[in-house]
């Protein structure tokens, strides 16, 4: 990944994050790499990570054919929803981090909604 590509993605993410900060709700942030997908729920002020899940974790990765497909993303979505609900959070704002809302990002979001999170 070139630096320009990453810079452009972060530039796209900036306005979304500013908007979420004004809303004052917890933020579900997604990071997508070539091999893995990560999700974190940040507190409303962004100072604390309240829940995290990724395909790096053994319990999520177990039984998956690959950590970089839709099935893996959906499993991370279900895991982050369960952890967030356990931490007492049911309403979040979805931060796609400048990625297009399709493919793995969409699969994660849909699975998190099914898991009980409200966007």
């Amino acid at each position: 990944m070139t630096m320009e590509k990453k810079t452009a993605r972060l530039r796209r993410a900036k306005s979304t994050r500013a908007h979420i900060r004004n809303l004052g709700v917890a933020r579900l942030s997604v990071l997508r790499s070539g091999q893995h997908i990560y999700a974190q729920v940040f507190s409303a002020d962004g100072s604390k990570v309240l829940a995290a899940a990724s395909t790096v974790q053994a319990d999520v990765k177990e039984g998956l054919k690959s950590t970089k497909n839709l099935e893996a993303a959906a499993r991370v979505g279900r895991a982050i929803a369960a952890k967030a609900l356990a931490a007492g959070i049911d309403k979040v704002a979805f931060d796609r981090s400048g990625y297009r809302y399709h493919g793995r990002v969409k699969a994660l979001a849909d699975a998190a909604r099914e898991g009980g999170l409200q966007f």
Side-chain angles (χ1 to χ4, degrees):
M1 180 159 77
T2 61
M3 219 43 215
E4 296 83 35
K5 192 173 180 181
K6 184 175 183 183
T7 309
R9 180 180 67 78
L10 293 174
R11 178 184 49 76
R12 287 193 301 269
K14 200 173 277 187
S15 66
T16 306
R17 291 184 178 155
H19 179 72
I20 291 172
R21 218 170 287 125
N22 290 340
L23 292 175
V25 294
R27 171 169 68 104
L28 171 58
S29 184
V30 173
L31 175 70
R32 199 187 69 184
S33 74
Q35 288 295 321
H36 296 284
I37 190 157
Y38 308 81
Q40 291 179 310
V41 176
F42 291 95
S43 59
D45 59 359
S47 63
K48 273 206 276 304
V49 175
L50 306 170
S54 73
T55 51
V56 177
Q57 296 168 331
D59 59 329
V60 176
K61 191 166 39 174
E62 190 181 332
L64 282 177
K65 200 164 64 186
S66 168
T67 57
K68 52 188 175 185
N69 57 17
L70 293 177
E71 188 188 331
R75 186 159 319 167
V76 171
R78 285 190 292 275
I80 195 71
K83 289 180 181 181
L85 291 172
I89 298 149
D90 58 348
K91 280 186 90 72
V92 294
F94 187 62
D95 172 11
R96 58 190 172 83
S97 304
Y99 300 115
R100 281 174 56 197
Y101 185 80
H102 83 129
R104 291 192 289 162
V105 175
K106 184 176 188 290
L108 190 147
D110 291 344
R113 279 194 193 97
E114 283 170 24
L117 282 183
Q118 292 180 314
F119 292 18

